[in-house]
Structures are given as structure tokens and as C-alpha cells.
Amino acid sequence: MTMFNRRDALMAITAGGAAVTTAAQAADPPQPSRGPGFGGTDPGPRNIPLDTAQPSLLNPPSTDSGTIPNLRFSFSDTPMKQYTGGWTRQVTARELGISKSIAGVNMRLNAGGIRELHWHKQAEWAFMLYGTARISAVDEQGHNFVDDVGPGDLWYFPAGIPHSIQGLAADGCEFLLVFDDGEFDEDSTFLLSDWFKHIPPDVLVKNFGVGAENFRNLPDPSTRYIFPAPLPGGLDSDRIAGATPVPRIFSHHMTAQAPIASRGGKVWITDSSVFPISQSIAAALVEIEPGGMRELHWHPNTDEWQYWISGKGRMGVFASHGQSRTFDFSAGDVGYVPFAMGHYVENTGDTPLRFLEMFKSSYYADVSLEQWLALTPPELVQAHLGFSDAAMQSLRKTKTPVVP
Ligand code: MN
Ligand code: MN
């Protein structure tokens, strides 16, 4: 349909009495009008699937105001880099400009597929989304590490520590990688095959003390990075005889922890208090039942970087100085909350909502608006907000991260 024809069709719908401007959210297609006397129809050009997916942009709540920068980016808006053993894509400060403290990578390894032995300048924190993987590392003191991880498990490799990841049976794995630097780039890691290709052969002979013939079949680095390989044997078969394990283990079973549970949902918090090696990333996995909400709060230590795993939600962010903005999220999105800004997250779907909150910090911390008010002299709060005595008494003194 040409634009002209589509416009005619829209006008015909309007003339025919369809409630285009009075029930914007229910109209098909949705129109930028939150009610009579606000906004109007959008005759186009327009992208209806995007407008439909972002109702809080098309029809922001009347409490939104000001010019808060963009705080959402979808992995679906990034290029998939496909290799022989899987794929990878990333959301960094180049995609989501405000995200200076953290970058994320979403990676898939087919069964047997290996993310090449490598290291990088940033620490790497990971959350397993699907399947199983074998991870390995060696630290600067010659301690070694090898483990198998599955859904809900984490790993953490400190900056500069060399490591590998391999997808296991039956269908490999998918995971989220989080780096403690928004400028991180998956294409600038230190790769084993890349370095070998750039060392003179006589230096290799001298270093390893073996004949030059050993280095005649080095791979083209472009064939590694993520490449297929036979499945490894059991975990025991990959243990190195005589090796000393790392003193602080690099993996952690996040969802095996006891969550903070309430009627509205659950929160699992993992920071260096329970996963000691994770010195630069703290995390919370949040599960919100339909109708529930991650309560009004903020974080007193640093920015929040989110990864949306399943379900649908809406986040409102308050930036001080009268500024406030609302965003809609779904699976595969990245969200961001700059340091200290007040926010909440509602489940707007009919299935449980799951997302990760991540912080470039050794510890997790949040301040609850309700707990603050409940533990402040009541007369003081009432002088600000005009709450009744009954409302004051109902304020919860115990923090409730997810409210029904
Ligand atoms: Mn890595
Ligand atoms: Mn938060």
C-alpha cells in the first residue's frame, strides 16, 4: 500500500467512527494521544511495530517531563556476528551512549563450539541463559580452574586472566557476558591464535624449546574466535594432574541461593559477600509476578545496567530537576539507570518478568523509598506529604524489593 493510500484508509477509519483519538492505547494502530485534548493521530510515515512495542514513548504518562537521555537498547538492533561454532552480538557505549560503566555481550556456542582461549583488559562476569558450558582459566600464580555451568549459574574472570568457554551436549549454550567498562569491544580481546601468528618462528622455538615443525600448522586466526570442536569428555577428564585450584572459585550457582521472596516476586542478590572473586560486578536477578512491581528505590553506589530475560515491563526513572521518563522493555533488551536516579519496574505482561540488575561494584546496595519514609519521624514525613496517621502506620519498615 502506498503512503497516500494508507493515509486515505486511516482517514476513512476515523470518519467511520473508530475511536482513534479517544482510546489511543486500544486503537489499531496505536495513535499518539493519551486522551481527548492531547496529541492527535499520526497519519505517517511511521513504524507501527516499533510504536506498538513502545507504548510509553508513543503515549508517555503525563508525569513524564524533560529530556532524560535514552536508557534502552535491544540486542535485536545489533549485528549478529556468525562464526563456524556459534554467534555473538554486543551492546556497549557505542550502542547505548550513556552506558559508560558496563558493556554486555550475548553469545551462543553450539555443542562443542569453543570461544577461543583469550584474555582482555576488563573483568568478565557471565550469566548462563540456556544449556551447559565448560569454562576454564589459569590465574597469574599458576592456579587452574575448570568447571561446568548451566542455567542460572555465573562465572567471573578477573581482568587479564586467560580463559575459554565451550558449549556442551546436547545443544551447546547461550549466555550473557558483562564487562566492567562500557567501551569494551568483543573484537579487541587478546586471542591465542592472533598472537601466535604475530610471533617470529625462531622466537617460538626459543620460548617453547621445541622444534620449528611444531609451529608450521598454526591456524589462520580468522578460523578461530568461535569454532567447532569435538565435545570434551567428563569434567574429571579435563582436570590437570598436579594442578592447584584457584583459591577463590570463578563460578557460582546464583539461583541455588535462597531468594528474598515476597507475594509479588523474588530477588537473588550476588556480590562479593557470597561470590568473593566478583570484585567489580554485583548483581540482582529479579522475578516479578504479573501485576507486581520492583518497588520505588535507587542505588547509592553506582549506575545500574539491566538485561531483560523474559516477560514484559515498564520502568520509570526520575532524574531530579523535574525530569522523568518511562521506557518499555521485553526479552533481549538492555536497560540503564544512571547513578542515584529513582526508579521502579512494573510487570506489564501476563507472565513472570525476569531481568538482571548489574552494578560495577564489589557490593549490592539499594535505598527503598518506603523504608526511608517508614524509619523517619512521622511528623516530618507528614509535614512533607500530608499522609494520614493510618497511611504512616502502614509503611513497611522491612524492605520489600518486589511489591504485589
Ligand atoms: Mn572473555
Ligand atoms: Mn534498581
Side-chain angles (χ1 to χ4, degrees):
M1 190 184 288
T2 67
M3 192 169 78
F4 184 78
N5 285 340
R6 198 166 62 76
R7 185 171 299 192
D8 280 354
L10 258 180
M11 289 171 82
I13 290 167
T14 310
V20 172
T21 55
T22 54
Q25 310 245 11
D28 181 25
Q31 300 295 344
S33 171
R34 68 171 184 266
F38 294 96
T41 59
D42 181 355
R46 61 182 301 198
N47 185 322
I48 291 169
L50 277 184
D51 284 347
T52 305
Q54 296 293 322
S56 300
L57 295 184
L58 195 68
N59 286 292
S62 60
T63 45
D64 274 15
S65 98
T67 51
I68 294 182
N70 179 45
L71 302 176
R72 185 196 75 88
F73 202 93
S74 173
F75 271 103
S76 293
D77 283 326
T78 66
M80 238 348 150
K81 292 181 180 168
Q82 299 180 13
Y83 300 89
T84 50
W87 53 252
T88 183
R89 52 185 175 175
Q90 60 183 353
V91 174
T92 71
R94 288 168 288 274
E95 287 78 28
L96 181 60
I98 198 166
S99 174
K100 298 294 184 206
S101 63
I102 288 182
V105 167
N106 178 207
M107 189 176 287
R108 171 88 162 108
L109 299 176
N110 302 330
I114 295 174
R115 171 63 174 97
E116 177 177 2
L117 287 159
H118 70 282
W119 72 97
H120 30 73
K121 297 174 184 176
Q122 298 79 7
E124 168 178 319
W125 181 102
F127 182 86
M128 281 290 288
L129 298 163
Y130 170 80
T132 50
R134 178 157 307 163
I135 50 177
S136 80
V138 173
D139 77 4
E140 70 276 23
Q141 290 167 329
H143 302 119
N144 102 324
F145 168 81
V146 55
D147 198 13
D148 289 350
V149 287
D153 291 343
L154 311 180
W155 70 76
Y156 182 91
F157 297 130
I161 296 301
H163 53 277
S164 71
I165 313 159
Q166 183 170 22
L168 298 180
D171 188 32
C173 57
E174 183 178 348
F175 47 88
L176 173 77
L177 299 171
V178 169
F179 300 90
D180 57 0
D181 174 4
E183 297 292 339
F184 174 84
D185 183 359
E186 262 293 273
D187 291 335
S188 60
T189 60
F190 296 86
L191 304 172
L192 182 68
S193 63
D194 194 19
W195 198 16
F196 265 81
K197 208 69 184 173
H198 297 94
I199 302 169
D202 61 310
V203 171
L204 289 173
V205 167
K206 202 181 287 181
N207 188 80
F208 291 101
V210 296
E213 68 279 7
N214 287 285
F215 307 109
R216 287 197 188 116
N217 297 314
L218 292 177
D220 177 345
S222 71
T223 66
R224 292 298 181 266
Y225 195 82
I226 296 176
F227 64 102
L231 281 165
L235 189 55
D236 282 341
S237 72
D238 266 358
R239 296 200 191 282
I240 308 294
T244 307
V246 290
R248 295 188 296 185
I249 190 168
F250 290 165
S251 56
H252 179 77
H253 304 298
M254 184 181 202
T255 49
Q257 291 177 221
I260 303 165
S262 63
R263 210 146 53 81
K266 294 176 191 151
V267 179
W268 293 260
I269 295 171
T270 300
D271 62 13
S272 62
S273 68
V274 292
F275 185 24
I277 193 68
S278 188
Q279 287 296 312
S280 69
I281 297 287
L285 173 64
V286 181
E287 189 174 280
I288 307 175
E289 294 299 326
M293 185 176 88
R294 176 81 175 85
E295 67 162 350
L296 291 156
H297 70 282
W298 68 94
H299 303 276
N301 48 347
T302 187
D303 304 346
E304 172 175 336
W305 191 99
Q306 301 165 344
Y307 178 72
W308 289 65
I309 298 171
S310 58
K312 282 182 179 303
R314 173 164 56 215
M315 176 167 72
V317 177
F318 168 62
S320 81
H321 204 255
Q323 301 199 88
S324 180
R325 190 168 163 187
T326 308
F327 297 84
D328 300 290
F329 294 89
S330 54
D333 284 351
V334 171
Y336 204 79
V337 186
F339 176 42
M341 291 189 185
H343 54 285
Y344 61 88
V345 173
E346 294 175 279
N347 183 342
T348 53
D350 47 19
T351 57
L353 164 63
R354 270 194 161 201
F355 70 98
L356 283 162
E357 306 176 354
M358 271 150 298
F359 307 88
K360 183 177 176 177
S361 177
S362 63
Y363 66 95
Y364 176 87
D366 64 21
V367 178
S368 156
L369 174 64
E370 183 169 11
Q371 187 178 45
W372 175 38
L373 299 180
L375 297 174
T376 296
E379 300 75 16
L380 196 53
V381 174
Q382 286 175 305
H384 287 78
L385 301 174
F387 278 13
S388 67
D389 291 342
M392 286 307 301
Q393 273 152 25
S394 76
L395 290 174
R396 284 170 287 215
K397 298 183 178 70
T398 306
K399 200 183 282 183
T400 310
V402 182
V403 293

